[in-house]
Amino acid sequence: MCPPAWRQAMIAAQRLLDLAQVRRVRDRIERDLTRPLDVEALAREAGMAPGLLASRFADAYGHSPYAYLTVRRIERAMALLRHGDHSPAGLCLAVGCPSTAVLVTRFTELAGMTPEAYRRRAAAGSAGLPRCVAAAPASAQAVRGRPA
């Protein structure tokens, strides 16, 4: 039988390996933001069970992989709305949402207003400001649950 310290060291080493795999999954989600998410395929690539991946991902990033993807898509939609005039369908395609209804629903849940209201507010709030100041991602912090 192994000494207890060895067992603890092996557990710690496995957690580090799992964290590295979860980081790779997050990087893949970031790269493929506009594509549909297949958690089972991501788990297979990471060499983990889907439930274990979801658990480890939530431990590391505070969200399941799907919720993380949703938040990132909404942050991207917010940036596009601040910098351009996209129709709901165009916005949906640009961020990879499966439908306009899903985009509007999730956007409203996370941002506290519809995309159209957000676009109007962003346009009114940035009038007269230099583009670099108007583009500051203060609202993205609020989406992640941190005060702006």
Side-chain angles (χ1 to χ4, degrees):
M1 181 172 268
C2 295
W6 288 7
R7 182 173 173 356
Q8 295 300 325
M10 289 173 51
I11 290 170
Q14 184 61 49
R15 285 186 190 235
L16 287 175
L17 289 172
D18 288 350
L19 186 59
Q21 288 299 95
V22 165
R23 198 171 325 121
R24 287 185 193 100
V25 168
R26 189 216 46 209
D27 292 345
R28 169 96 187 278
I29 290 171
E30 293 287 337
R31 272 193 317 272
D32 298 338
L33 197 61
T34 59
R35 294 190 181 140
L37 179 66
D38 183 358
V39 176
E40 291 179 5
L42 291 173
R44 252 191 325 274
E45 289 174 19
M48 299 175 144
L52 180 62
L53 173 63
S55 174
R56 295 286 194 252
F57 198 96
D59 288 346
Y61 298 107
H63 297 290
S64 69
Y66 184 77
Y68 181 85
L69 174 68
T70 301
V71 168
R72 293 293 296 131
R73 283 178 173 167
I74 298 306
E75 289 174 346
R76 176 79 177 128
M78 293 171 107
L80 290 171
L81 287 170
R82 282 192 306 270
H83 300 299
D85 189 26
H86 293 277
S87 68
L91 192 61
C92 185
L93 286 172
V95 300
C97 275
S99 75
T100 305
V102 169
L103 174 71
V104 171
T105 301
R106 297 295 177 247
F107 193 102
T108 304
E109 287 174 358
L110 293 171
M113 63 185 78
T114 65
E116 185 59 35
Y118 183 83
R119 177 190 349 222
R120 283 193 306 266
R121 183 181 231 182
S126 64
L129 291 177
R131 187 170 175 87
C132 62
V133 174
S139 56
Q141 298 300 322
V143 167
R144 289 188 174 158
R146 292 180 236 140

